[in-house]
Structure formats: C-alpha cells, structure tokens
C-alpha cells in the first residue's frame, strides 16, 4: 500500500516519488544543454503549475539562457465563443530568439497550443516545448512535444506544482486520485 494523503476533500495515493521526477528533469536538462548550446534560449514558464519544474530544471541548465513567466488567463467570450484563453505577462522582444516553453503537464493540449501559437506571433527563430508530465491518452492536438519528463495515465494528479482546488502544489512527490 502506497502512502495516502487527503487534499481538500479527496484521497490520493503516492504515485511518483520526488527522486524519479528529479531524474527525469536531469534527462531533459542534459538534452537542452546540448541542443541549445550557444543559442541563448529564452525559457517561458507557464504559471502557476510550472514553478517547481522551472526552478528544478534551471538548477540543471548550464548554458547561457533567460527565464521569463507567463500566465494563461481564462475568461468568457462575449459572443458564442465560450471560454477564451489569453496569454498574459509577455513583454520581452522574442524576434529571432529560441524559445522553450515550460509546462507542468499537458492534458488535452489546449493550453500548450494556445501558448505556442501566441509566442509564434512574435517571430522567434524557433519554439520548442518541454513538459514535466504528459497524458498521451487525453491529448487532442497535433503539436509535437519536444521534451517530455514522464508520460502519465489519464487520471487526476496532485503535487509538484499541480493543484487540486488550489491545494497540493507544495508537495514534492506526485499523488494520484483514488478511484
Ligand atoms: P490542457 O490545456 O488540457 O492540456 O491542460 C493543461 C492544464 O490543466 C495544466 O497546465 C494543469 O494546470 C491542468 N491539469 C491537467 N491535468 C491535471 C492534473 O492531473 N492535475 C492537476 N492539474 C491538471
Ligand atoms: Mg500548467
């Protein structure tokens, strides 16, 4: 039996220990250090969930780079558009730059597609994507994910930046919702 915790009103079980997460991040860092040497990439971290992945990845990046943060804000469209996502907080000149988007988790792919499309409007040289977790069975988009820390099942996870009802982002391990 794994370690059980309660977050808000639901029970979760330990699923991915911190050391496995850190090992996966080392793998991503190694590849990025090689792929972007001399390119001075700009990491664009998508808040809130990506704050831990960003900090841990940056501690393992040893090439010259910049780091910046954006947020995806949702609001209801005025017409029949329903929910609209807008990327806020982007204020650097990205023309000709190599961008690496940092995400905590890619689920349906809606968020990452929106952020990538928004960044491409700034005429960068290239836009790559790094995500700590990926739910391949939930993914509905075509856009390629360049660096994936770990594939996870289509279940609800909490910890390591991921929240349930605002709680659990501080946990260093990943916990899975009990069915
Ligand atoms: P997507 O736009 O459907 O790919 O969803 C991406 C966002 O949904 C992530 O950045 C998370 O904030 C949230 N999300 C997706 N799966 C989970 C999960 O298992 N736990 C907590 N948040 C999640
Ligand atoms: Mg996120």
């Amino acid at each position: 039996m794994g370690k059980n915790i309660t977050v808000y009103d639901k029970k979760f079980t330990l699923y991915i220990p911190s050391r496995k997460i850190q090992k996966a991040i080392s793998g991503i860092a190694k590849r990025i250090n090689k792929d972007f040497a001399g390119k001075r990439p700009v990491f664009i971290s998508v808040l809130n969930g990506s704050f831990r992945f960003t900090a841990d990845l940056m501690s393992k990046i040893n090439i010259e780079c910049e780091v910046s943060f954006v947020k995806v804000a949702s609001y209801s469209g005025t017409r029949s558009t329903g929910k609209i996502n807008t990327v806020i907080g982007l204020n650097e000149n990205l023309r000709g730059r190599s961008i690496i988007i940092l995400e905590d988790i890619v689920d349906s792919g809606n968020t990452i597609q929106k952020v990538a499309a928004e960044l491409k409007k700034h005429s960068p040289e290239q836009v790559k994507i790094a995500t700590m977790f990926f739910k391949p069975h939930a993914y509905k988009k075509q856009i390629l994910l360049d660096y994936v820390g770990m594939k996870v099942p289509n279940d609800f996870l909490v910890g390591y930046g991921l929240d349930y009802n605002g709680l659990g982002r501080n946990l260093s391990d990943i916990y899975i919702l009990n069915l």
Side-chain angles (χ1 to χ4, degrees):
M1 265 300 273
K3 186 185 165 199
N4 288 288
I5 59 164
T6 298
V7 178
Y8 193 64
D9 60 354
K10 293 201 188 319
K11 290 197 161 57
F12 292 80
T13 302
L14 180 61
Y15 187 61
I16 307 169
S18 162
R19 79 186 135 72
K20 281 199 179 169
I21 298 171
Q22 296 303 324
K23 207 175 153 199
I25 294 173
S26 295
I28 294 179
K30 215 169 158 182
R31 290 175 57 206
I32 291 176
N33 283 330
K34 187 164 150 270
D35 296 348
F36 290 87
K39 288 201 158 288
R40 199 192 284 176
V42 190
F43 290 97
I44 305 236
S45 170
V46 185
L47 292 171
N48 292 322
S50 301
F51 75 103
R52 295 197 64 148
F53 174 47
T54 302
D56 288 338
L57 181 68
M58 288 310 110
S59 72
K60 297 173 168 88
I61 292 294
N62 55 28
I63 56 170
E64 196 177 35
C65 65
E66 295 174 32
V67 190
S68 190
F69 297 85
V70 295
K71 221 169 163 159
V72 177
S74 299
Y75 63 93
S76 292
T78 44
R79 291 192 187 163
S80 58
T81 41
K83 211 174 80 177
I84 294 174
N85 288 328
T86 159
V87 180
I88 58 172
L90 203 60
N91 37 33
E92 30 274 299
N93 184 4
L94 299 172
R95 180 172 291 274
R97 302 297 302 271
S98 292
I99 297 172
I100 305 164
I101 304 171
L102 301 181
E103 256 291 23
D104 49 355
I105 188 163
V106 174
D107 189 303
S108 69
N110 286 333
T111 308
I112 199 69
Q113 194 187 52
K114 174 70 194 179
V115 174
E118 205 54 49
L119 292 174
K120 281 174 186 165
K121 291 181 188 165
H122 293 252
S123 311
E125 184 192 317
Q126 56 179 331
V127 176
K128 300 287 181 186
I129 295 165
T131 185
M132 182 58 228
F133 303 106
F134 175 42
K135 294 181 178 174
H137 298 294
Y139 196 53
K140 292 195 196 78
K141 305 291 177 184
Q142 306 302 322
I143 183 169
L144 181 79
L145 305 176
D146 304 277
Y147 306 94
V148 173
M150 256 177 238
K151 287 180 186 165
V152 292
N154 197 4
D155 294 312
F156 193 78
L157 306 175
V158 75
Y160 199 71
L162 299 172
D163 73 299
Y164 167 52
N165 209 9
L167 300 174
R169 295 191 197 275
N170 55 307
L171 300 164
S172 295
D173 307 299
I174 286 284
Y175 291 80
I176 193 162
L177 180 65
N178 289 358
L179 296 175

